[in-house]
Amino acid sequence: MIRIFAWAILVIATYLAISHTNLRKEWPKFDLTNQITNSSNNSSDNIENFRTWLPDTAPSVHASTVIPLKNGNWRAFWFAGSREGAPDVVIASSVFDTQTKTWSEPIAVIDRTRTQQGLLRYISKLGNPLPARAPTGELQLYYVAVSLGGWAGSSISMIQSTDEGQAWSKPKRLITSPFINISNLVKSPTFNFSDDTIGLPSYHEFIGKFGELLQIDPQTGNVINKRRMSSGREAIQPIIYINDADNAIAYFRQTRSHGPAQIITSASTNAGLNWKAGDDLNLANPNSAVAGLTLRNKNRLLVLNDLTEGRHRLTLVASKPKPSSTSNEYSNWEIIEVIENETPDGINPIEFSYPYLAQASNGDIQLVYTWNRKKIRSIFFNESAINKKLDSLLENTSGELK
Amino acid sequence: MITSLREFIPLIELALISTLLISYLSKGLYKSQSTSSIRLITLLAVFIFLLLPLDAIFTGNLPWKLPLIAYVRAATGDLSISTLLLCLLGLGHFKKIQINTNFVFLIGICALVFYPLALGVSMIDPYAWGYGSIIFISSVTLIAGLFIWRHSLLEGVVISIAMIAWSFQWHESTNLWDYLIDPFLGVWAIIYSIRIFIRSKSSIY
């Protein structure tokens, strides 16, 4: 009798599990239509090369990101506190008004206490905010929360806003690892899939240092699938360039203990379902984050510390598809602008790091990055100006990055 | 910030297991039968205490907002359904349970292979199967069926209940692996398997 009862439970379990699985759809394609959403279609006047500092909030600031808002303005996020990893670190935010060209008074979007009350567990520190535009239109903010230990003990949480970032929902924790759900971080921009789910590039830095692509349900914030983008202990913080509905290439920050200090790559030909390691780029990387952006004409931008050691130089480079070949072949990277270039004095650290690029639908591009861990710098670029400069450089390859 | 009752379920589960663990570790302190009611009241008090928002004891910052068990949860995460059920049965003094050694070996071997792969040793990621792979669900069903068929009903039912819990997303996780296994169960199974192996070797000689 008990055995019949056990069989009955198994039959019910199997039925429920398969019913639950049937809800899962086939792996989607990359969505190329809704990457950028705001109301303005014309490039903002005189914003090209506009340089400004984000408002001061704390002695230590880092990991800035930015997203265009529906009304044509921009909202930036960064973490701020007495020092990196301190309990007083909050995720700060400010809005850039494109008419007045000023940043608003910063607000704390979320802090450690609110996170631990929402997640019902102790949280020791926060980091790495990453905004995203859900296919449903809401603003989402993914960020990193740590309960124990260093950044290797991180997990990803998410809050949502229906009013462009003024009020935010209770945090939700993403479960992405079977090992007490630790060692999951975010840094790079999301994208949308054709089935209105969200692609979230993430990475681990605990025992392994590798990249993973998370597929997120925008309604619930649940992880519904994930795919490994690299393995081992040498590649984190993937940025993804999408070529078409199926093809994409990812660039990684290298974390090698030995071996070439170059940007690591991985490619997918089935919309991120499978990834295969490629050759390193011939671009130096001193174990520092890079930022990437695919422009509307498929030209690619990359911001990096093009050094094998140190972070005292920050450069914007660009590349364009080769006209005669398939869309997956690109020209060499050309230097569009050396954004920062200092000489280290060996005493005071000079560091320009954690770049992040975003583009509005009018073509305006904004770069934000950490300036010496003390300030956040913002620079606007104009898409057509970059394209023109790239074309001119490609005619005369003297600016080519070696 | 409104928290639903459902979100407290993992905290209640953890508090219950923690209380049972304290009960198990402290059973030597209670020698006579007459103290059993005092012991029960003490454990009930421990259970309630763990769920009270008394975090100010640690932080010194009023007001109290976070249950004490939330500090345990920060270190352990949510336990798998398998761990919860085995702990409830094993530590709950309901009945002396005998776990099939093949079940323990299976969890031990699974943990030894699964965790390194899930933590990035290669491009193979078995954890991704847990998000709804029909092959993985079929395999889990087959294993549960094999245990029931071989009269190991407890093990088959534990796996089945884990699958049911996953179907309803009982915990935060949407991954079936998190309902079947956790690192604590894996470590216990590996140690238990080694002990069985050593005992069988010593009995031969």
Side-chain angles (χ1 to χ4, degrees):
Chain A
M1 185 64 191
I2 298 171
R3 205 171 171 207
I4 292 169
F5 182 67
W7 279 117
I9 291 178
L10 178 59
V11 169
I12 292 166
T14 308
Y15 171 75
L16 289 172
I18 289 173
S19 304
H20 192 54
T21 306
N22 282 345
L23 299 174
R24 308 263 186 270
K25 296 171 187 169
E26 280 184 15
W27 185 262
K29 303 282 187 189
F30 293 129
D31 182 8
L32 305 171
T33 58
N34 57 355
Q35 301 289 312
I36 307 157
T37 50
N38 73 0
S39 58
S40 171
N41 287 317
N42 300 317
S43 181
S44 308
D45 294 334
N46 303 322
I47 207 152
E48 182 188 348
N49 217 21
F50 185 77
R51 289 159 194 252
T52 183
W53 299 102
L54 268 69
D56 286 336
T57 45
S60 172
V61 292
H62 194 38
S64 53
T65 49
V66 70
I67 190 167
L69 299 177
K70 289 176 182 171
N71 63 2
N73 293 335
W74 296 75
R75 183 175 278 281
F77 300 88
W78 64 98
F79 74 73
S82 54
R83 60 176 167 78
E84 181 176 334
D88 64 358
V89 165
V90 300
I91 305 299
S93 179
S94 175
V95 172
F96 181 77
D97 187 322
T98 48
Q99 301 300 314
T100 62
K101 296 188 180 60
T102 54
W103 289 97
S104 69
E105 192 65 29
I107 55 163
V109 168
I110 188 100
D111 59 19
R112 190 180 69 85
T113 310
R114 272 196 67 204
T115 300
Q116 65 181 13
Q117 283 168 24
L119 301 181
L120 288 174
R121 72 194 73 215
Y122 170 71
I123 299 293
S124 64
K125 60 184 174 187
L126 306 181
N128 288 21
L130 174 70
R133 178 72 63 186
T136 43
E138 287 103 1
L139 200 59
Q140 297 185 331
L141 185 72
Y142 297 87
Y143 65 103
V144 159
V146 180
S147 286
L148 298 170
W151 292 120
S154 303
S155 66
I156 305 165
S157 291
M158 189 266 281
I159 49 177
Q160 292 202 75
S161 172
T162 53
D163 59 7
E164 295 295 273
Q166 292 175 57
W168 293 88
S169 68
K170 199 172 73 163
K172 178 184 174 62
R173 184 173 158 98
L174 276 59
I175 310 292
T176 58
S177 164
F179 196 79
I180 329 175
N181 196 38
I182 61 166
S183 178
N184 310 282
L185 300 97
V186 286
K187 161 73 180 82
S188 319
T190 63
F191 59 85
N192 295 333
F193 282 112
S194 57
D195 63 353
D196 284 348
T197 55
I198 296 169
L200 172 61
S202 70
Y203 62 100
H204 287 234
E205 54 171 288
F206 175 44
I207 293 171
K209 294 186 176 183
F210 56 95
E212 285 189 330
L213 175 60
L214 306 178
Q215 188 189 10
I216 309 287
D217 179 342
Q219 306 289 341
T220 61
N222 286 334
V223 181
I224 52 179
N225 211 331
K226 77 178 178 104
R227 309 303 301 178
R228 189 154 292 171
M229 299 173 70
S230 66
S231 63
R233 288 185 53 79
E234 62 176 32
I236 61 169
Q237 297 177 345
I239 55 166
I240 297 177
Y241 293 103
I242 295 170
N243 298 330
D244 54 43
D246 290 306
N247 291 286
I249 188 161
Y251 291 177
F252 297 82
R253 165 182 173 176
Q254 67 82 19
T255 58
R256 290 166 172 147
S257 51
H258 50 82
Q262 292 177 321
I263 289 174
I264 294 168
T265 71
S266 181
S268 173
T269 56
N270 52 10
L273 182 63
N274 299 105
W275 293 84
K276 191 178 177 189
D279 295 333
D280 284 3
L281 280 189
N282 190 24
L283 291 177
N285 181 257
N287 190 352
S288 70
V290 297
L293 185 69
T294 305
L295 302 181
R296 292 178 292 189
N297 63 356
K298 300 256 177 117
N299 285 359
R300 291 175 182 163
L301 299 187
L302 179 67
V303 176
L304 75 164
N305 301 112
D306 52 334
L307 302 160
T308 52
E309 271 184 57
R311 297 176 181 180
H312 50 273
R313 178 181 153 99
L314 193 69
T315 307
L316 170 66
V317 298
S319 169
K320 71 182 294 181
K322 287 186 177 172
S324 57
S325 65
T326 63
S327 62
N328 297 334
E329 286 188 41
Y330 271 72
S331 70
N332 290 323
W333 291 96
E334 304 288 339
I335 296 175
I336 301 296
E337 183 178 332
V338 176
I339 297 160
E340 301 275 4
N341 194 9
E342 297 287 336
T343 307
D345 59 9
I347 303 164
N348 300 309
I350 299 171
E351 179 181 313
F352 311 111
S353 58
Y354 256 58
Y356 188 90
L357 281 166
Q359 186 176 31
S361 57
N362 64 2
D364 287 345
I365 297 159
Q366 188 176 176
L367 165 71
V368 286
Y369 60 92
T370 308
W371 192 91
N372 267 339
R373 295 273 179 151
K374 290 174 184 161
K375 286 172 172 284
I376 304 293
R377 188 79 159 142
S378 155
I379 304 176
F380 281 88
F381 297 96
N382 180 274
E383 182 182 32
S384 55
I386 288 177
N387 289 334
K388 275 182 199 166
K389 186 159 186 186
L390 177 61
D391 287 340
S392 130
L393 285 165
L394 284 169
E395 282 174 21
N396 174 8
T397 55
S398 59
E400 184 182 330
L401 200 73
K402 300 295 179 189
Chain B
M1 201 177 288
I2 300 161
T3 303
S4 70
L5 189 64
R6 185 169 176 168
E7 291 173 85
F8 275 105
I9 287 172
L11 292 178
I12 295 167
E13 290 172 352
L14 258 183
L16 187 62
I17 299 303
S18 302
T19 307
L20 290 174
L21 204 59
I22 291 166
S23 163
Y24 177 77
L25 295 173
S26 64
K27 66 182 176 186
L29 299 174
Y30 299 89
K31 287 176 183 168
S32 70
Q33 194 66 27
S34 61
T35 56
S36 63
S37 56
I38 298 169
R39 189 178 174 207
L40 198 66
I41 292 165
T42 311
L43 292 174
L44 191 64
V46 169
F47 175 70
I48 294 166
F49 181 72
L50 287 172
L51 288 168
L52 290 177
L54 299 175
D55 56 320
I57 292 171
F58 294 136
T59 61
N61 299 323
L62 290 169
W64 292 325
K65 284 175 178 170
L66 205 61
L68 292 179
I69 198 68
Y71 287 80
V72 178
R73 192 189 193 193
T76 63
D78 294 341
L79 299 175
S80 67
I81 297 297
S82 308
T83 301
L84 287 169
L85 292 175
L86 293 176
C87 280
L88 271 176
L89 295 169
L91 300 173
H93 308 288
F94 300 115
K95 193 183 172 185
K96 179 80 175 167
I97 61 160
Q98 189 67 46
I99 300 171
N100 187 322
T101 49
N102 288 331
F103 185 69
V104 182
F105 289 151
L106 181 70
I107 294 170
I109 291 165
C110 194
L112 280 173
V113 177
F114 171 66
Y115 285 109
L117 286 173
L119 292 172
V121 163
S122 81
M123 289 295 279
I124 299 166
D125 180 16
Y127 188 64
W129 306 340
Y131 287 112
S133 155
I134 192 75
I135 297 169
F136 182 58
I137 289 167
S138 306
S139 307
V140 174
T141 303
L142 188 68
I143 290 166
L146 277 173
F147 278 112
I148 295 172
W149 183 55
R150 296 297 298 267
H151 297 274
S152 295
L153 304 186
L154 170 70
E155 293 75 6
V157 169
V158 163
I159 296 171
S160 303
I161 293 174
M163 286 167 72
I164 293 170
W166 173 72
S167 305
F168 288 106
Q169 206 190 324
W170 188 250
H171 289 163
E172 286 174 328
S173 177
T174 49
N175 193 302
L176 179 55
W177 278 108
D178 293 321
Y179 293 80
L180 293 168
I181 189 172
D182 57 52
F184 306 101
L185 186 67
V187 169
W188 169 79
I190 291 165
I191 293 170
Y192 194 87
S193 301
I194 291 168
R195 276 178 58 187
I196 293 170
F197 181 74
I198 291 169
R199 276 183 196 167
S200 66
K201 279 278 182 191
S202 57
S203 66
I204 292 170
Y205 298 104

